[in-house]
Amino acid sequence: MALATSIKFGTQAIRISDGASSPTFAAPCGLTQIGKSSSANTNETIIPYCDDPDKAERLLDEISRSKTLNFSGILSVENLAVWQAWDDAGGPRDVQWFRDLTALNGGGYYQGSGILASFEETGDMGGRYQISGTIEISGAFPWTDAS
């Protein structure tokens, strides 16, 4: 029986654009948890059987799909200005969900426009400030294989 080849935490990253016309993407320093979730909006239709109208099947039609990125970690001095500027100004920023793997192993990235839908800074006496947040993808988020 073969053991599964796992993917280490550091091989995936949320990367944020610097906003330049030829953007550079960088992963914020200090993140200790990242996640990507997908969901579909659907319409439900119940269709009865012609020969037995008391029985029916439930059919779903997919209307749209959405992706969300979430993160948490420490609030690093190196990225304080990035988070503060995006949180204060709002609006979209180009983001990537990046996998530092070969194309054969699933490497590449999703890229698209994201909205910082939630951002939280928390701290406890004697501890370090923590951050958490959610980036909602707005529009297409196409995949590009690693080269």
Side-chain angles (χ1 to χ4, degrees), residues 40-62:
N41 293 319
T42 60
N43 278 344
E44 176 182 312
T45 305
I46 305 297
I47 301 177
Y49 285 96
C50 292
D51 57 351
D52 189 351
D54 289 326
K55 290 187 179 178
E57 295 291 337
R58 175 180 173 244
L59 297 179
L60 295 176
D61 292 305
E62 184 175 298

Side-chain angles (χ1 to χ4, degrees), residues 31 71-77 79-89 116-125 127-134:
L31 299 184
F71 60 88
S72 64
I74 64 161
L75 178 57
S76 67
V77 171
N79 289 107
L80 177 59
V82 171
W83 293 121
Q84 184 171 333
W86 197 4
D87 189 34
D88 289 349
L116 187 61
S118 69
F119 182 73
E120 183 176 356
E121 298 177 28
T122 58
D124 294 313
M125 185 173 63
R128 308 284 176 159
Y129 264 86
Q130 304 288 311
I131 60 170
S132 62
T134 302

